Amino acid sequence: MKKRTMSAWGSAILIFIILMIVTPTIPQSQAYHNFADQRSFLGIPNFLNVISNFPFLIIGLIGLILCFYPEDYFSFSLRGEKIGWTCFYIGVAAVAFGSSYYHLHPNDATLLWDRLPMTIAFTSIMAIFVIERIDEHKGTYSIAPLLLAGLVSILYWRFFDDLRPYALVQFVPCIVIPLMAILLPPMYTHSTYWLWAAGFYLLAKVEEAADKPIYSWTHHIISGHSLKHLCAAMVPVFLTLMLAKRTVQTERISLYKTWKKGSEEERFEHSYSNVAVEETR
């Protein structure tokens, strides 16, 4: 078991090194800091981009409280789950402070404090998924290395002006988690909440890219970046609802097999309903 784990980590590190060799560096564009909505209100610069981070604090604190009180409200069944989810909610709550601090004075130095808590959330979620869907022990022991990898990706960007490691930390979970949620059998019910969370995060990235067009389309009421904060905050909202509602799955079947089974039954029922019934006399 340990040998296979070491092989997996070794393969991942090797793939990462090859990618770093064959791909060009990605410097931080200074245009990134030029957000559409730069209005001040009550003496707060970039007011909406700052206060739209407030939901992260609320849902982060709620999640932390429910992780520990009332006892076992989330009904964690596996070793390491509470540690992983605690790290996740700490990251979510810290986003409110880090992102607000960045948007008060957008520049590379303050951006570090915006991205650091996000990497805590991303890497914690990956560890949680490994715990639940692959192996309980491997997932538990991967929490610290994944958090460290996130920290290193931020420091590498800051010191070498290269976003490639951070991009991997951010986008690999966005691809891997929905796939794992669909293909791997879950231990708990309400697994579709993972897909809702992934959908809202994808929407948030679209809104971030369309910051200025959305600001123009809404007649300067709200920008895409402010909406991005609100949509991204829906990710921990859906995951918290999932934790509150889920129970241990009696029969572990992946979402893909569930959907496939449902479509086959629907086709069978449709075919059966088309069979002509001969009237008896």
Side-chain angles (χ1 to χ4, degrees):
M1 183 72 72
K2 290 183 179 179
K3 191 173 182 180
R4 283 183 296 184
T5 302
M6 293 299 295
S7 299
W9 276 105
S11 300
I13 293 171
L14 179 61
I15 292 171
F16 171 74
I17 292 172
I18 293 172
L19 286 173
M20 291 294 288
I21 293 172
V22 301
T23 58
T25 59
I26 306 175
Q28 177 64 59
S29 171
Q30 294 307 300
Y32 178 82
H33 307 304
N34 184 27
F35 298 103
D37 188 356
Q38 300 183 17
R39 294 172 296 179
S40 298
F41 184 67
L42 299 175
I44 302 174
N46 309 308
F47 180 74
L48 284 183
N49 282 345
V50 171
I51 66 163
S52 56
N53 288 291
F54 185 66
F56 288 108
L57 178 61
I58 299 301
I59 190 61
L61 291 178
I62 289 174
L64 278 173
I65 291 170
L66 294 180
C67 277
F68 294 93
Y69 180 86
E71 189 66 26
D72 296 330
Y73 181 81
F74 284 154
S75 301
F76 296 126
S77 302
L78 301 174
R79 177 188 174 193
E81 276 191 298
K82 182 177 283 191
I83 298 173
W85 283 109
T86 299
C87 291
F88 172 74
Y89 283 116
I90 288 173
V92 170
V95 165
F97 298 102
S99 185
S100 296
Y101 176 63
Y102 163 64
H103 283 289
L104 288 171
H105 305 287
N107 58 64
D108 284 359
T110 55
L111 183 57
L112 180 145
W113 301 106
D114 180 20
R115 287 176 170 167
L116 183 58
M118 286 195 289
T119 62
I120 294 174
F122 292 142
T123 51
S124 299
I125 283 293
M126 280 298 298
I128 289 165
F129 237 85
V130 174
I131 291 171
E132 181 184 332
R133 304 289 176 117
I134 298 176
D135 185 271
E136 176 183 349
H137 300 290
K138 290 179 183 178
T140 301
Y141 291 126
S142 71
I143 294 174
L146 286 172
L147 289 172
L148 180 61
L151 175 61
V152 169
S153 73
I154 293 293
L155 295 177
Y156 188 89
W157 156 67
R158 193 69 187 95
F159 286 106
F160 300 103
D161 193 22
D162 187 357
L163 286 169
R164 287 178 296 170
Y166 174 72
L168 283 175
V169 168
Q170 181 175 184
F171 291 111
V172 165
C174 297
I175 298 170
V176 172
I177 287 177
L179 287 176
M180 290 171 70
I182 294 171
L183 298 176
L184 298 182
M187 180 177 178
Y188 300 100
T189 60
H190 294 83
S191 190
T192 52
Y193 278 69
W194 285 106
L195 302 184
W196 280 104
F200 269 97
Y201 188 75
L202 177 60
L203 178 60
K205 299 307 290 183
V206 171
E207 289 167 341
E208 180 182 33
D211 181 35
K212 290 180 174 63
I214 290 175
Y215 192 53
S216 176
W217 296 337
T218 60
H219 301 285
H220 298 182
I221 295 174
I222 192 168
S223 68
H225 202 86
S226 295
L227 288 175
K228 174 238 179 176
H229 290 160
L230 299 177
C231 276
M234 291 300 296
V235 173
V237 168
F238 272 97
L239 295 182
T240 303
L241 289 172
M242 177 192 72
L243 290 174
K245 292 184 175 185
R246 72 182 188 176
T247 56
V248 175
Q249 191 89 282
T250 54
E251 186 179 2
R252 299 187 66 171
I253 304 176
S254 68
L255 285 176
Y256 173 73
K257 288 185 177 179
T258 302
W259 295 339
K260 186 177 179 181
K261 183 179 179 181
S263 63
E264 287 175 351
E265 289 177 353
E266 185 178 345
R267 284 198 301 270
F268 177 79
E269 290 175 0
H270 179 72
S271 300
Y272 183 79
S273 64
N274 288 336
V275 176
V277 179
E278 187 175 332
E279 186 177 346
T280 58
R281 297 187 180 182

